[in-house]
Amino acid sequence: MTVQTQSAGRRRALISVSDKRGVVEFARGLAELGFEIVSTGGTAAALAPHVAVTPVSAVTGFPEILDGRVKTLHPAIHAGILARRDVPAHMAALTQLGLAPFDVVAVNLYPFVETVRRPGCTLAEAVEHIDVGGPAMVRAAAKNHAHVWVVVNPDRYPEVLAALGREQAGAGPGADEAQRLRRVLAQEAFAHTAAYDAAIAAYLAGQLDETRSGEAAAGGKEAAGAAGTSGREGAAFPPVWQVSLVQAQALRYGENPHQAAAFYVETPPPAGTIAAAEQLQGKELSFNNIHDAHAALEMVREFEAPAVAAVKHANPCGLAVAETVAEAFARARDADPVSIFGGIVAANRPVDAEAARAMRELFLEVIIAPDFTPEALEVLAGRPNLRLLRVQPWAAPAPAYDWKRVGGGLLVQEADWKPERLDPAQERVVTRRAPTAEEWRQLEFAWKVVKHVKSNAIVLARDFVTVGIGAGQMNRVTAARLAIEQAGPRARGAVLASEAFFPFPDVVEAAAAAGVTAIVQPGGSRRDADSIAAADAAGIAMVFTGRRHFRH
């Protein structure tokens, strides 16, 4: 095969894209500016009916081989991208070898993330969608951005064509502005390849997690921790943590108006999550809306029966289970009719007209549900600013990890996502009196709720509705007193849940004075005996779960 050299003085563009949005128009625009278009495989086939295309093999003098795994990994390509126009030795080397520079490199990468998210995708299929030549070209062009226009985002095509046209005409903004645009494009290019590599690393880490879980289940505990530092049995963390997110939305502001903010999501966002929710009506979501909506969604997912959660500042102000969504909403609303004002509401069943009419009576920011009936949408249309989010499918994939940002680092942990159950045959009753069958049911409800309340947390519940919540206190007895005060007379006959153990018997004593009949807590304090004795003295049944649910 004979290598094709560049026509004297003619500029060249290398185009090889998986995302073909606007690529034909871009290539036509380049051709009109006098560019020779060099392209690969599928991109060349897409362009050929519209513009003259030089196949990459004509530039390299070498055919595409190994099912396309090797086609652009060649000196004729990379020398043309990396040569510095301001270094005479570089240009002389190109001339001596019969090569020519590339002035534009438009490349984006195999759709790896989209591939691995498809149901049934195998590791072998995923590996075949790991791009090698594409990232190499993008990185080379980004490195040499002072001389090469590198474009990974199709939305940039018109802007680049306009800049090239001005450059060729010697008109318009000066060299400094053009160079700034080149740097912007280079930054986008490196971000593109970094996100791509992070997605691959995260996928492979997930494959290792599945392997380790299987080996641990089969008794291979040593293998379970081999790939990184290990925490609890079966948990392993890689030496480098990759996060690949793209901006989905620029927000008006963050938690407060003086803070700029944006919403970044996985690509594509996992189905069944707030990031993938469909907004059916209402104003644009805010930073706080998104944060609280996620919290509300996770709360109602704990329950199998119809449930509604009302949330403020990521804490439930009312949560109830009932026969219908309308009844559950009414009970959650009445649990704290003051705090629900301006709140976020989530339901784990479709919202019907009856529920919608009740919700419309209040000022709410967001309603999240698996769906809304046509009648409900008609009712809620009377609140045009109210944001409605449909989450489908409802059963979201279990998150593997949770992370929290700190100055200079990231805290990563296994997600506390497993649905809670209280099994009388498994839990430890530590008092002389065991809970009644009905108390067991109410304790399980309260235990599910307290898992989602900021620590220190206390929840009082009766008849499957929260009657008092103490959240985010610096000591547990204050949280208990707040919950009891909020409950008022409703505390008598209620059950109490605490997300962590009691260091002193004061919470039990306060609960007994208020008329609480049963308590669920993790246990594990050095002074558990004092709390048990206080419960026995008051005739309270108390259960230890052995599971703590701190939430900071």
Side-chain angles (χ1 to χ4, degrees), residues 304-307 320-329 331 348-349 352 354 441 463-464:
E304 296 176 2
V321 168
E323 294 295 322
T324 67
V325 170
E327 183 184 356
F329 171 74
R331 301 181 80 204
N348 66 352
R349 295 285 195 283
D352 59 17
E354 183 183 3
R441 296 171 66 209
D463 300 326
F464 301 107

Side-chain angles (χ1 to χ4, degrees), residues 368-384:
I368 312 110
D371 210 344
F372 297 79
T373 66
E375 295 79 12
L377 290 174
E378 185 176 350
V379 169
L380 295 170
R383 289 272 192 177

Side-chain angles (χ1 to χ4, degrees), residues 119-333:
C121 176
T122 65
L123 176 60
E125 290 171 323
V127 167
E128 288 308 311
H129 281 82
I130 296 176
D131 203 332
V132 176
M137 290 187 290
V138 169
R139 287 177 58 83
K143 174 176 179 173
N144 202 27
H145 67 270
H147 308 285
V148 180
W149 294 87
V150 56
V151 195
V152 296
N153 180 2
D155 293 338
R156 290 285 190 181
Y157 291 160
E159 185 178 9
V160 172
L161 283 175
L164 288 167
R166 290 193 299 267
E167 185 179 71
Q168 183 166 298
D176 288 346
E177 186 169 335
Q179 196 62 20
R180 183 185 181 282
L181 177 56
R182 288 175 181 266
R183 284 195 296 271
V184 168
L185 295 172
Q187 186 277 327
E188 288 183 356
F190 281 119
H192 187 60
T193 57
Y196 193 77
D197 285 342
I200 295 168
Y203 169 78
L204 293 177
Q207 296 294 304
L208 289 172
D209 285 343
E210 291 180 12
T211 301
R212 285 192 292 266
S213 296
E215 289 171 345
K221 296 178 183 177
E222 290 184 5
T229 56
S230 181
R232 298 184 63 82
E233 185 175 299
F237 296 90
V240 176
W241 185 263
Q242 288 93 4
V243 180
S244 177
L245 304 170
V246 298
Q247 187 180 130
Q249 181 183 347
L251 303 173
R252 285 185 300 155
Y253 53 82
E255 287 182 287
N256 300 290
H258 63 273
Q259 295 172 268
F263 184 31
Y264 287 80
V265 302
E266 299 175 45
T267 53
T273 63
I274 284 297
E278 178 185 5
Q279 185 168 349
L280 303 180
Q281 76 164 46
K283 296 188 297 185
E284 187 177 84
L285 289 163
S286 72
F287 184 101
N288 293 330
N289 291 158
I290 294 168
H291 184 255
D292 287 347
H294 165 74
L297 177 62
E298 295 309 302
M299 289 175 200
V300 293
R301 277 203 173 119
E302 290 278 353
F303 300 94
E304 296 176 2
V308 170
V311 169
K312 290 288 285 291
H313 305 297
N315 280 308
C317 53
L319 201 157
V321 168
E323 294 295 322
T324 67
V325 170
E327 183 184 356
F329 171 74
R331 301 181 80 204
R333 174 199 63 204

